[in-house]
Amino acid sequence: MISALAIRLGLRELRHEWQAALCFIAALVGVLAPLLILLALKNGVIGTMVDRLVEDPSNREIVAVGTASFDQAFFDQMAARSDVGFIMPNTRRINAQANALRNPVSRALERSVPLIPSAHGDPLIAGRAISPGEVWLSDGLAKKLDLAAGDQVEMLIRRTVSGNQETVRQRFTVLGVIGAANYAREALFLSLDDLLDVEQFRDDLAITPDTYAAPRTAPDRYASFRLYAADLSALGTLLGALEERGIEARARAENAALLLNFRDNLNLLYGFIAMIAVLGFWCAMAANLRGMVERQRVVFSLLRFVGLSRTSLAAIPVVQSVALVCVGVAVTLLLVLPGLFFINAVFRTRAGDAVAQLGVEDLVATLALGVITAGTAALWAMRATSQIDSVEVLRHA
Amino acid sequence: MAASIVHIRNLGIQLSQDFAVVVEKLDLRRGERLVLDAPSGAGKSTALGLISAGMEDSGLPGRVHQIGGQAIERGNRARRFAKPDVLGFVLQTNTLVPYLNTLENIRLPMQIAAQKVDPQWELHLLTVLGLDPLVDRLPTALSVGQRQRVSIARALLARPLVLLLDEPVASLDPGNVARVEGLLSELAQEAQSAVLLASHQAQSGVFALAKRARHRVYEHKGVTYSLFCDTEAAA
């Protein structure tokens, strides 16, 4: 059993050999501080990029390519999949456009505005419900039309029949504005029913401007869909599932997979660098502790001669190793944490994200790794200490 | 007759192919003194090492090794170390723990053995040995003589039954030899410790009249045996 005396002796020797201990701590700080700064930068720069990638729902969008039609069963089956975050029918792209949008108060006008169907669960509008007569505006569009939540917006839909232009004007209530981070382009998000009215007006001459808003039955099949994977990692499997059904599709943000791959590779690279550094430090520490045992061989022998047990004797280098690493980690954190604060103050990003970040889990892992390194690095010294015999102090003369 | 504190028969070690040290017979009772007086290189320190159990013996036939009435078996030396109240040892080298001060060094064996220090005896030792103003000093701040006196205090603090002294004055200048030997003798007497002194300088001074162990050299099959026996050498 390790006695309190062994711990006291180990610490007293460190205090006595404070210069050697200081050199040792400096060596540890020299290894650990750059590693922690690298880790913080990796977390901050790459982590923020990946977080944004993950948080931006548009990166999870899968768009249909080519022509096809999809029945309700397709949508039901897809919605039941755990890797699907959101799915709803869409019209043909050619019909999904308003000829113009107008602010009825300021008369500000924007032509050729894309129309996007939306529904409860739409990740671009934070999952909020949208009913017929209600719309969401993208940030860019809202600014151009000078509209905000609660305002009215007028949509103009035109068609040409026998050389004559027919126009429908439809008013909607603006429910809200979608942030640029969620949708950077200009678009109007409206209910599927309202979008189908637009499509049917353009396709069916029997529908006149007067009967534009009359109730109609929903179609059996839809020309397209809006589909979002549950998360970025599900994009691949979801594309594969669509391909199996013979549906041609692609991920809108193909770079996402590349960035995730880059992050994984960077994690591997950092892990490799950290492993090499820790291994180097481990070797230095093991050699240092072993050297310390050799220098203090007669004293260890004396301690054995006056009755200290082999176990307690062998515990001395472990106590010293753990103490040195704990102090080294503490000094490193005292240097690194203000350093990270400084880096973040100097290199503040426009979005206010931290360039360098260290989580509590990183600090706990550092300390745990340090203690494990200290404990195992002391094994060689422990073995050497346990082999020191009391007879050595007798022969020392 | 009082029982022996040290009772030894045929305790020996072969140090090399052609040299062995053997304590043939040695019995010491409380308060007795015995000098191992032999030339340098005869194995006096080795004999003390064997007796203290700090050195593993070779297990000769007829081996008996008892300290303080307790038999010490071969092969489990980890348990054989005599407690400081049984055996005190003054090393020839005055080796101290460099990061402990004088008082901590003196108390170390008793602290390891979890034995209680008698504060009055401790104060007496410190005063008699002139160490009371030096209790906070580290060994590096002590002279050779002061370190030797710390070693003596360390060995005597628990009032051991037997005190083994390995050339305790060898490193001292001649002016201090008599003084330190006198202190050793006086304190050992106060502690009622049996004293076994290894020295080739004990022809004069307080140990000059002490009983001397017989030392003889015997050669057998190419091995030189350095033999110690508590029977006085024939005149």
Side-chain angles (χ1 to χ4, degrees), chain B residues 4 12 22 40 57 66 68-69 81 92 94 105 146 156 167 172 174-175 199 211 216-217 233:
Chain B
S4 295
V22 180
S40 196
D57 67 275
Q66 286 181 9
F81 281 101
Q92 187 177 350
N94 311 329
N105 263 295
Q146 286 169 337
L156 279 165
E167 304 275 12
L172 298 181
S199 174
K211 184 179 167 186
R216 63 195 174 94
V217 177

Side-chain angles (χ1 to χ4, degrees), chain A residues 382-395:
Chain A
M382 272 178 77
R383 187 170 177 273
T385 309
S386 67
Q387 287 173 343
I388 293 175
D389 205 315
S390 56
V391 74
E392 292 186 33
V393 76
L394 294 171
R395 289 180 179 157

